[in-house]
Amino acid sequence: MGELEFQLAYLNAAITAGKGGTEIFGLRLMRENLEELSAILDRIFPGLASDKARFEKAFGRVLYIHLSRENKLAQAVSLIKAQQTGLWHIAPDGSEIERVGPAREPHYDFERIKGEVDELEAYDTAWNIWFAQQGIAPLRIGYERLAAEPAVELLRICEALGVRPPDAEHVRPGVAKLADATSLDWMRRFHRDAAV
């Protein structure tokens, strides 16, 4: 099997897996992976003029959802704590769902947090530029609102997709927030150190 055939088979397998037994395919795409995906789709479907055209050829009608966290400092702290502790996700009952390394104590690092905030802001800017270049008006969802009212945001997504939403009483997030007193302490320290 050649590279092109492999990429097409991989795309088809990803679409099947991403449908999860439904008619709707879902893909979470990080900004840093956009160019790689576009290049792969360009090899599979050559001659299309834009990323938008390539995505529509590969996936059909596309609803773009831009999930963004307004509080970039909280996002940076969360990310760095997960990297340091190895713990990325916990269930609502507090049990671990995803741990990628041995348990370690987190340590505050002003420069690392500042760099992460800057990078997160750059990612949002890059997405907004890309959406404008592609002529895309995404459905914008704020992380804070999604965390506070998941059923409301799910309803917005279902309406945009034109599908029947589930009963709101059955919408239960599968993960819990990892933010804790350490997170709040780091944010206070960061504000203090940034003011110096």
Side-chain angles (χ1 to χ4, degrees), residues 131-156:
F131 286 132
Q133 290 171 339
Q134 300 296 312
I136 295 168
L139 176 63
R140 296 189 183 274
I141 295 184
Y143 168 86
E144 288 81 359
R145 183 164 173 171
L146 177 63
E149 300 180 287
V152 171
E153 294 305 298
L154 179 59
L155 178 61
R156 287 183 61 217

mmCIF file of all heavy atoms in Angstrom, residues 131-156:
data_model
loop_
_atom_site.group_PDB
_atom_site.id
_atom_site.type_symbol
_atom_site.label_atom_id
_atom_site.label_comp_id
_atom_site.label_asym_id
_atom_site.label_seq_id
_atom_site.Cartn_x
_atom_site.Cartn_y
_atom_site.Cartn_z
ATOM 1 N N PHE A 131 -10.182 31.527 10.277
ATOM 2 C CA PHE A 131 -11.621 31.574 10.006
ATOM 3 C C PHE A 131 -11.933 32.705 9.026
ATOM 4 O O PHE A 131 -12.704 32.524 8.082
ATOM 5 C CB PHE A 131 -12.424 31.759 11.294
ATOM 6 C CG PHE A 131 -12.491 30.536 12.168
ATOM 7 C CD1 PHE A 131 -12.220 30.636 13.526
ATOM 8 C CD2 PHE A 131 -12.839 29.291 11.661
ATOM 9 C CE1 PHE A 131 -12.297 29.511 14.350
ATOM 10 C CE2 PHE A 131 -12.914 28.169 12.468
ATOM 11 C CZ PHE A 131 -12.633 28.278 13.818
ATOM 12 N N ALA A 132 -11.352 33.883 9.244
ATOM 13 C CA ALA A 132 -11.602 35.023 8.357
ATOM 14 C C ALA A 132 -11.094 34.734 6.948
ATOM 15 O O ALA A 132 -11.795 35.016 5.965
ATOM 16 C CB ALA A 132 -10.939 36.279 8.926
ATOM 17 N N GLN A 133 -9.895 34.173 6.818
ATOM 18 C CA GLN A 133 -9.340 33.858 5.495
ATOM 19 C C GLN A 133 -10.196 32.850 4.746
ATOM 20 O O GLN A 133 -10.305 32.911 3.516
ATOM 21 C CB GLN A 133 -7.918 33.313 5.628
ATOM 22 C CG GLN A 133 -6.896 34.324 6.046
ATOM 23 C CD GLN A 133 -5.554 33.695 6.382
ATOM 24 O OE1 GLN A 133 -5.456 32.511 6.684
ATOM 25 N NE2 GLN A 133 -4.507 34.502 6.331
ATOM 26 N N GLN A 134 -10.781 31.902 5.473
ATOM 27 C CA GLN A 134 -11.587 30.846 4.853
ATOM 28 C C GLN A 134 -13.043 31.251 4.661
ATOM 29 O O GLN A 134 -13.824 30.503 4.069
ATOM 30 C CB GLN A 134 -11.518 29.570 5.704
ATOM 31 C CG GLN A 134 -10.135 29.004 5.890
ATOM 32 C CD GLN A 134 -9.516 28.537 4.579
ATOM 33 O OE1 GLN A 134 -10.141 27.839 3.793
ATOM 34 N NE2 GLN A 134 -8.273 28.910 4.351
ATOM 35 N N GLY A 135 -13.423 32.426 5.156
ATOM 36 C CA GLY A 135 -14.816 32.863 5.048
ATOM 37 C C GLY A 135 -15.754 32.038 5.914
ATOM 38 O O GLY A 135 -16.893 31.780 5.537
ATOM 39 N N ILE A 136 -15.269 31.652 7.095
ATOM 40 C CA ILE A 136 -16.027 30.790 8.000
ATOM 41 C C ILE A 136 -16.485 31.603 9.213
ATOM 42 O O ILE A 136 -15.687 32.306 9.823
ATOM 43 C CB ILE A 136 -15.166 29.596 8.464
ATOM 44 C CG1 ILE A 136 -14.813 28.697 7.275
ATOM 45 C CG2 ILE A 136 -15.863 28.813 9.573
ATOM 46 C CD1 ILE A 136 -13.746 27.661 7.586
ATOM 47 N N ALA A 137 -17.756 31.472 9.549
ATOM 48 C CA ALA A 137 -18.294 32.055 10.778
ATOM 49 C C ALA A 137 -18.569 30.884 11.727
ATOM 50 O O ALA A 137 -19.631 30.265 11.656
ATOM 51 C CB ALA A 137 -19.564 32.846 10.493
ATOM 52 N N PRO A 138 -17.626 30.557 12.596
ATOM 53 C CA PRO A 138 -17.810 29.384 13.456
ATOM 54 C C PRO A 138 -18.846 29.630 14.547
ATOM 55 O O PRO A 138 -19.135 30.779 14.904
ATOM 56 C CB PRO A 138 -16.422 29.189 14.071
ATOM 57 C CG PRO A 138 -15.883 30.577 14.158
ATOM 58 C CD PRO A 138 -16.390 31.268 12.908
ATOM 59 N N LEU A 139 -19.368 28.541 15.066
ATOM 60 C CA LEU A 139 -20.171 28.618 16.283
ATOM 61 C C LEU A 139 -19.163 28.798 17.413
ATOM 62 O O LEU A 139 -18.284 27.960 17.605
ATOM 63 C CB LEU A 139 -20.975 27.329 16.467
ATOM 64 C CG LEU A 139 -21.797 27.212 17.754
ATOM 65 C CD1 LEU A 139 -22.872 28.298 17.809
ATOM 66 C CD2 LEU A 139 -22.428 25.833 17.856
ATOM 67 N N ARG A 140 -19.268 29.886 18.127
ATOM 68 C CA ARG A 140 -18.296 30.179 19.180
ATOM 69 C C ARG A 140 -18.851 29.745 20.530
ATOM 70 O O ARG A 140 -19.953 30.144 20.914
ATOM 71 C CB ARG A 140 -17.926 31.647 19.184
ATOM 72 C CG ARG A 140 -17.214 32.046 17.891
ATOM 73 C CD ARG A 140 -16.643 33.432 17.947
ATOM 74 N NE ARG A 140 -16.029 33.800 16.689
ATOM 75 C CZ ARG A 140 -14.785 33.517 16.341
ATOM 76 N NH1 ARG A 140 -14.001 32.870 17.178
ATOM 77 N NH2 ARG A 140 -14.312 33.896 15.167
ATOM 78 N N ILE A 141 -18.061 28.946 21.223
ATOM 79 C CA ILE A 141 -18.454 28.460 22.539
ATOM 80 C C ILE A 141 -17.334 28.779 23.516
ATOM 81 O O ILE A 141 -16.172 28.456 23.268
ATOM 82 C CB ILE A 141 -18.733 26.948 22.507
ATOM 83 C CG1 ILE A 141 -19.941 26.688 21.608
ATOM 84 C CG2 ILE A 141 -18.952 26.396 23.910
ATOM 85 C CD1 ILE A 141 -20.388 25.268 21.546
ATOM 86 N N GLY A 142 -17.695 29.430 24.597
ATOM 87 C CA GLY A 142 -16.728 29.746 25.639
ATOM 88 C C GLY A 142 -16.629 28.593 26.624
ATOM 89 O O GLY A 142 -17.650 28.053 27.056
ATOM 90 N N TYR A 143 -15.412 28.236 26.972
ATOM 91 C CA TYR A 143 -15.184 27.132 27.907
ATOM 92 C C TYR A 143 -15.893 27.373 29.233
ATOM 93 O O TYR A 143 -16.503 26.463 29.795
ATOM 94 C CB TYR A 143 -13.676 26.956 28.132
ATOM 95 C CG TYR A 143 -13.357 26.037 29.287
ATOM 96 C CD1 TYR A 143 -13.288 24.656 29.090
ATOM 97 C CD2 TYR A 143 -13.128 26.532 30.566
ATOM 98 C CE1 TYR A 143 -13.008 23.811 30.145
ATOM 99 C CE2 TYR A 143 -12.847 25.690 31.627
ATOM 100 C CZ TYR A 143 -12.780 24.331 31.408
ATOM 101 O OH TYR A 143 -12.510 23.487 32.459
ATOM 102 N N GLU A 144 -15.819 28.597 29.714
ATOM 103 C CA GLU A 144 -16.407 28.904 31.015
ATOM 104 C C GLU A 144 -17.916 28.659 31.004
ATOM 105 O O GLU A 144 -18.475 28.076 31.941
ATOM 106 C CB GLU A 144 -16.097 30.355 31.416
ATOM 107 C CG GLU A 144 -14.652 30.601 31.810
ATOM 108 C CD GLU A 144 -13.682 30.792 30.634
ATOM 109 O OE1 GLU A 144 -14.111 30.716 29.464
ATOM 110 O OE2 GLU A 144 -12.480 30.995 30.887
ATOM 111 N N ARG A 145 -18.558 29.068 29.932
ATOM 112 C CA ARG A 145 -20.014 28.848 29.833
ATOM 113 C C ARG A 145 -20.324 27.368 29.628
ATOM 114 O O ARG A 145 -21.286 26.849 30.182
ATOM 115 C CB ARG A 145 -20.597 29.679 28.709
ATOM 116 C CG ARG A 145 -22.092 29.528 28.653
ATOM 117 C CD ARG A 145 -22.751 30.581 27.849
ATOM 118 N NE ARG A 145 -24.169 30.203 27.753
ATOM 119 C CZ ARG A 145 -25.082 30.985 27.265
ATOM 120 N NH1 ARG A 145 -24.768 32.170 26.841
ATOM 121 N NH2 ARG A 145 -26.326 30.570 27.196
ATOM 122 N N LEU A 146 -19.523 26.689 28.829
ATOM 123 C CA LEU A 146 -19.716 25.253 28.617
ATOM 124 C C LEU A 146 -19.598 24.505 29.939
ATOM 125 O O LEU A 146 -20.389 23.612 30.232
ATOM 126 C CB LEU A 146 -18.699 24.718 27.611
ATOM 127 C CG LEU A 146 -18.723 23.217 27.342
ATOM 128 C CD1 LEU A 146 -20.051 22.788 26.738
ATOM 129 C CD2 LEU A 146 -17.563 22.829 26.426
ATOM 130 N N ALA A 147 -18.608 24.877 30.751
ATOM 131 C CA ALA A 147 -18.428 24.218 32.045
ATOM 132 C C ALA A 147 -19.589 24.519 32.987
ATOM 133 O O ALA A 147 -20.026 23.650 33.743
ATOM 134 C CB ALA A 147 -17.107 24.655 32.684
ATOM 135 N N ALA A 148 -20.121 25.738 32.925
ATOM 136 C CA ALA A 148 -21.199 26.138 33.832
ATOM 137 C C ALA A 148 -22.562 25.615 33.385
ATOM 138 O O ALA A 148 -23.395 25.264 34.220
ATOM 139 C CB ALA A 148 -21.248 27.663 33.943
ATOM 140 N N GLU A 149 -22.788 25.581 32.062
ATOM 141 C CA GLU A 149 -24.095 25.183 31.528
ATOM 142 C C GLU A 149 -23.935 24.247 30.334
ATOM 143 O O GLU A 149 -24.247 24.619 29.203
ATOM 144 C CB GLU A 149 -24.884 26.419 31.103
ATOM 145 C CG GLU A 149 -25.155 27.399 32.232
ATOM 146 C CD GLU A 149 -25.937 28.599 31.757
ATOM 147 O OE1 GLU A 149 -25.351 29.452 31.061
ATOM 148 O OE2 GLU A 149 -27.139 28.660 32.070
ATOM 149 N N PRO A 150 -23.457 23.033 30.562
ATOM 150 C CA PRO A 150 -23.204 22.130 29.428
ATOM 151 C C PRO A 150 -24.454 21.812 28.612
ATOM 152 O O PRO A 150 -24.376 21.717 27.383
ATOM 153 C CB PRO A 150 -22.617 20.878 30.081
ATOM 154 C CG PRO A 150 -22.969 20.962 31.526
ATOM 155 C CD PRO A 150 -23.120 22.421 31.845
ATOM 156 N N ALA A 151 -25.602 21.679 29.238
ATOM 157 C CA ALA A 151 -26.831 21.346 28.501
ATOM 158 C C ALA A 151 -27.225 22.485 27.559
ATOM 159 O O ALA A 151 -27.679 22.239 26.435
ATOM 160 C CB ALA A 151 -27.961 21.019 29.467
ATOM 161 N N VAL A 152 -27.052 23.731 28.009
ATOM 162 C CA VAL A 152 -27.387 24.886 27.175
ATOM 163 C C VAL A 152 -26.489 24.924 25.943
ATOM 164 O O VAL A 152 -26.957 25.133 24.815
ATOM 165 C CB VAL A 152 -27.262 26.204 27.983
ATOM 166 C CG1 VAL A 152 -27.387 27.418 27.076
ATOM 167 C CG2 VAL A 152 -28.294 26.238 29.097
ATOM 168 N N GLU A 153 -25.203 24.697 26.144
ATOM 169 C CA GLU A 153 -24.274 24.736 25.016
ATOM 170 C C GLU A 153 -24.497 23.552 24.075
ATOM 171 O O GLU A 153 -24.380 23.688 22.857
ATOM 172 C CB GLU A 153 -22.829 24.786 25.509
ATOM 173 C CG GLU A 153 -22.494 26.073 26.249
ATOM 174 C CD GLU A 153 -22.799 27.321 25.426
ATOM 175 O OE1 GLU A 153 -22.201 27.508 24.348
ATOM 176 O OE2 GLU A 153 -23.665 28.121 25.853
ATOM 177 N N LEU A 154 -24.827 22.398 24.624
ATOM 178 C CA LEU A 154 -25.132 21.244 23.783
ATOM 179 C C LEU A 154 -26.359 21.527 22.930
ATOM 180 O O LEU A 154 -26.402 21.165 21.752
ATOM 181 C CB LEU A 154 -25.339 19.992 24.636
ATOM 182 C CG LEU A 154 -25.681 18.713 23.865
ATOM 183 C CD1 LEU A 154 -24.590 18.367 22.857
ATOM 184 C CD2 LEU A 154 -25.900 17.564 24.837
ATOM 185 N N LEU A 155 -27.350 22.182 23.480
ATOM 186 C CA LEU A 155 -28.541 22.561 22.727
ATOM 187 C C LEU A 155 -28.171 23.469 21.557
ATOM 188 O O LEU A 155 -28.671 23.292 20.444
ATOM 189 C CB LEU A 155 -29.554 23.242 23.646
ATOM 190 C CG LEU A 155 -30.839 23.743 22.972
ATOM 191 C CD1 LEU A 155 -31.621 22.598 22.347
ATOM 192 C CD2 LEU A 155 -31.707 24.498 23.972
ATOM 193 N N ARG A 156 -27.291 24.426 21.791
ATOM 194 C CA ARG A 156 -26.840 25.319 20.710
ATOM 195 C C ARG A 156 -26.174 24.521 19.589
ATOM 196 O O ARG A 156 -26.404 24.774 18.404
ATOM 197 C CB ARG A 156 -25.847 26.358 21.244
ATOM 198 C CG ARG A 156 -26.466 27.442 22.087
ATOM 199 C CD ARG A 156 -25.442 28.489 22.527
ATOM 200 N NE ARG A 156 -24.839 29.143 21.380
ATOM 201 C CZ ARG A 156 -23.556 29.506 21.311
ATOM 202 N NH1 ARG A 156 -22.727 29.273 22.308
ATOM 203 N NH2 ARG A 156 -23.085 30.115 20.240
#
